Amino acid sequence: MLKTITTEEVKKKLDGSEDFILLDTLASNSFEARHIPGAKSVPYSTTFLEEFEKTIEVAKDKEIVTYCASSGCQLSSMAADVLVEAGYTNV
């Protein structure tokens, strides 16, 4: 089961300069149009894990927070599931 955090908790982490990966899972054009400052872009797709590992070199225990468009969007949850299945332990 994935851990869910609120937008307020993410803001607190950003404001506190915590060391974590903030991952935007939306399409590249959405990221370019509007994203949370400091976020990294790896759009969710069938090659998500390969793109993630190629783009972001990070230890398997590093904290990773995924996000997408809204509570109705499932891209961030699907991306988080893939990361957990690949052995990332703090998603």
Side-chain angles (χ1 to χ4, degrees), residues 7 11-12 31 34-35 39 42 46 50 55 57 60 68 71-72 75 81-82 91:
T7 53
K11 179 155 177 27
K12 220 179 208 182
F31 181 82
R34 193 165 124 191
H35 63 275
V42 181
T46 56
E50 294 82 19
T55 306
E57 295 181 22
K60 296 269 184 168
C68 53
S71 60
L75 296 176
D81 284 338
V82 168
V91 181

Side-chain angles (χ1 to χ4, degrees), residues 21-63:
I21 301 295
L22 182 59
L23 191 63
D24 185 316
T25 60
L26 295 169
S28 297
N29 62 338
S30 294
F31 181 82
E32 290 169 17
R34 193 165 124 191
H35 63 275
I36 298 172
K40 308 249 186 248
S41 176
V42 181
Y44 183 79
S45 69
T46 56
T47 60
F48 169 77
L49 182 61
E50 294 82 19
E51 291 301 316
F52 175 82
E53 291 181 336
K54 183 172 69 174
T55 306
I56 302 171
E57 295 181 22
V58 63
K60 296 269 184 168
D61 64 346
K62 178 81 165 183
E63 183 177 12

